[in-house]
Amino acid sequence: MENVDVLLGLQWGDEGKGKVVDVLTPQYDIIARFQGGPNAGHTLEFEGEKYVVRSVPSGIFQGNKTNLIGNGVVLDPVLFRKEVEDLKKSGHNPRERLRISRKAHLILPTLRMLDAANENRRGDRKIGTTGRGIGPTYTEKVARQGIRVGDIESPSFKDQYNKVRENHLQRLKDLGYEVKNLEANEAEFFEAIEYLKGFTLVDSEYVVNDALRSDRKVLAEGAQGSLLDIDFGSYPFVTSSNTIAAGASIGLGVAPRHIGKVYGIFKAYCTRVGEGPFPTELTDKTGKLLAERGHEFGAVTGRPRRCGWLDLVALRYSIMLNGVTDLIITKSDVLDTLAEIKVCRAYKVNGEETDQVPYSMEEKIEPIYDTLTGWKTDLTAIKSEEEFPEAFRLYIDYLEKALQTPITVVSVGPDRSQTIFRG
Ligand code: IMP
Ligand code: MG
């Protein structure tokens, strides 16, 4: 029996998961998403083209692999349809290779509105969500009144929809939210439901476990990042799913003992989109330089991402929670022009130095930095580890020691080809 390998982000998302999943795809038979939904925007570049996938796994571009949307995902049929049609326009037709779990929950038009209504109500404590209805859809799931993909096959789907719709409209009213264009949104939704019926819906827990039993290899693709995890992230400024490795177990129906390798991806600096604490945030010209050189704008919402130095306290926390076996560092090339590079090795909280993430990340956290020498070399053209400039080699050594985990992949640019496997 094979195990499921998991690949996930160790920061606040946007670590470059899409690119690396695409690069690893040839080693696997099935690529599966296990949580999140169209709040994700996974960007891939190859052969001069750029693609962004939201709900479709990033394994769709290479070699006819099965791509699975697992039970832990929330699916917006309208955005899904658009995503698939866009992929088709660019010459990739995922329909044959895609499988969708019947147990995945549906994002309804009214749930998207509830996302906006909840944010309005929170005022200056707003989360800064992507506005895709993620939180309200997971809330419905846990409240045991969600609608699942498998329900679209039932003759009573419409009745089921009408019931929850009433409930949602009442809540929207209570929140003082002015509902607009409901009919148009619903018409679009039901058309998209018909479209969805053209895809292969499966009991994905069997698909995955049968595959493992016949020694086929499965890669679980995380979305968002560990610091946005509903239990362990910077609550309440988090997303509404378990983004950590354990989420792959729940979101695919794989027993914990069948989780194999855990690839943890991190950027050589930190970014965060939306509100919430960010201890190493830079609001100065270095922050601006990272944003510009790193093209740090949200793939889903286009919002500028906040930028800051690498945070080893948070990274060690994520490595612990996920049981990371292999680290993958991305976007070191963004730091190419810097003479000095800072890395936060500890926090000072209430005057005390600590190497732990405090209960509330909203406490006043003062980062304590180590300063490393920059490599001042263009990394983007480097093809192998032997070509690393000395200062970069020292930087990687420093990180491996500090994190007690091997860095096995170094990504030095957005293209597939700009990926260096080590050791
Ligand atoms: P939600 O997932 O739309 O509810 O948003 C909750 C928080 O997670 C907000 O701060 C979002 O900006 C953030 N977020 C959600 N999805 C992503 C992602 O894929 N990348 C980065 N941040 C995300
Ligand atoms: Mg993203």
Side-chain angles (χ1 to χ4, degrees), residues 19 293 331-334 336 375-389 392 410-420:
K19 176 208 153 151
R293 287 190 48 90
K331 296 186 103 164
S332 316
D333 53 291
V334 171
D336 281 355
W375 42 91
K376 301 277 264 172
T377 313
D378 176 11
L379 292 180
T380 59
I382 284 180
K383 294 281 172 239
S384 73
E385 197 178 349
E386 288 66 49
E387 295 169 45
F388 284 177
F392 184 60
V410 179
S411 164
V412 291
D415 198 89
R416 245 182 214 166
S417 61
Q418 292 167 302
T419 315
I420 298 160

Side-chain angles (χ1 to χ4, degrees), residues 33-35 68-74 100-105 138 141 148 204-205 208 247-254:
R33 276 279 304 269
F34 60 89
Q35 47 70 231
L68 175 73
I69 296 177
N71 58 279
V73 171
V74 290
I100 304 171
S101 171
R102 291 197 174 89
K103 292 191 176 73
H105 280 247
Y138 280 115
K141 172 178 177 174
R148 298 184 289 175
S204 56
E205 59 277 34
V208 173
S249 202
I250 306 281
L252 292 174
V254 178

Side-chain angles (χ1 to χ4, degrees), residues 120-364:
N120 288 343
R121 189 207 41 183
R122 292 179 68 97
D124 60 7
R125 289 284 292 168
K126 74 173 197 290
I127 311 282
T129 72
T130 60
R132 298 296 185 267
I134 306 297
T137 305
Y138 280 115
T139 303
E140 293 291 279
K141 172 178 177 174
V142 176
R144 298 165 294 189
Q145 56 197 21
I147 299 189
R148 298 184 289 175
V149 167
D151 294 333
I152 70 173
E153 296 174 313
S154 153
S156 61
F157 176 65
K158 197 80 193 256
D159 293 340
Q160 206 184 343
Y161 175 84
N162 286 332
K163 248 184 233 143
V164 298
R165 167 194 200 266
E166 284 318 304
N167 174 288
H168 300 165
L169 290 176
Q170 185 58 50
R171 274 151 61 195
L172 286 164
K173 202 168 151 201
D174 295 345
L175 288 163
Y177 184 86
E178 191 195 336
V179 174
K180 284 190 214 132
N181 303 325
L182 181 61
E183 273 175 36
N185 279 312
E186 287 184 325
E188 196 185 27
F189 174 78
F190 281 103
E191 275 172 38
I193 290 292
E194 289 310 310
Y195 183 82
L196 187 57
K197 286 181 182 166
F199 286 77
T200 311
L201 310 184
V202 293
D203 296 320
S204 56
E205 59 277 34
Y206 284 110
V207 172
V208 173
N209 284 287
D210 287 350
L212 297 178
R213 250 194 310 271
S214 26
D215 290 326
R216 293 201 296 145
K217 296 188 63 95
V218 180
L219 178 65
E221 173 182 10
Q224 292 80 53
S226 300
L227 304 177
L228 289 170
D229 182 89
I230 184 72
D231 281 85
F232 299 103
S234 46
Y235 194 87
F237 301 96
V238 294
T239 192
S240 297
S241 62
N242 283 113
T243 57
I244 58 172
S249 202
I250 306 281
L252 292 174
V254 178
R257 68 191 178 97
H258 291 304
I259 300 291
K261 273 192 192 179
V262 179
Y263 291 102
I265 302 203
F266 68 103
K267 269 198 284 220
Y269 52 99
C270 286
T271 62
R272 169 157 210 173
V273 54
E275 310 305 316
F278 183 172
T280 61
E281 182 167 13
L282 292 167
T283 50
D284 60 359
K285 67 179 202 307
T286 309
K288 225 170 163 174
L289 177 135
L290 295 175
E292 277 164 19
R293 287 190 48 90
H295 310 289
E296 296 296 353
F297 293 91
V300 173
T301 57
R303 291 180 290 180
R305 297 180 186 139
R306 299 152 65 193
C307 297
W309 294 119
L310 185 63
D311 182 343
L312 296 184
V313 180
L315 209 46
R316 277 193 292 258
Y317 185 59
S318 297
I319 290 169
M320 170 183 85
L321 294 170
N322 289 299
V324 171
T325 56
D326 294 67
L327 283 168
I328 299 174
I329 185 170
T330 63
K331 296 186 103 164
S332 316
D333 53 291
V334 171
L335 310 180
D336 281 355
T337 60
L338 296 173
E340 284 188 338
I341 293 164
K342 290 195 182 180
V343 176
C344 168
R345 67 165 171 83
Y347 291 160
K348 202 175 237 179
V349 183
N350 296 323
E352 297 260 344
E353 191 174 319
T354 175
D355 58 3
Q356 294 195 358
V357 175
Y359 164 69
S360 170
M361 268 193 129
E362 288 187 80
E363 291 234 31
K364 187 150 174 29

Side-chain angles (χ1 to χ4, degrees), residues 14 40-42 299 305:
D14 307 309
H42 292 177
R305 297 180 186 139

Side-chain angles (χ1 to χ4, degrees), residues 24-37:
L24 294 178
T25 292
Q27 302 176 26
Y28 292 89
D29 300 294
I30 299 180
I31 316 299
R33 276 279 304 269
F34 60 89
Q35 47 70 231

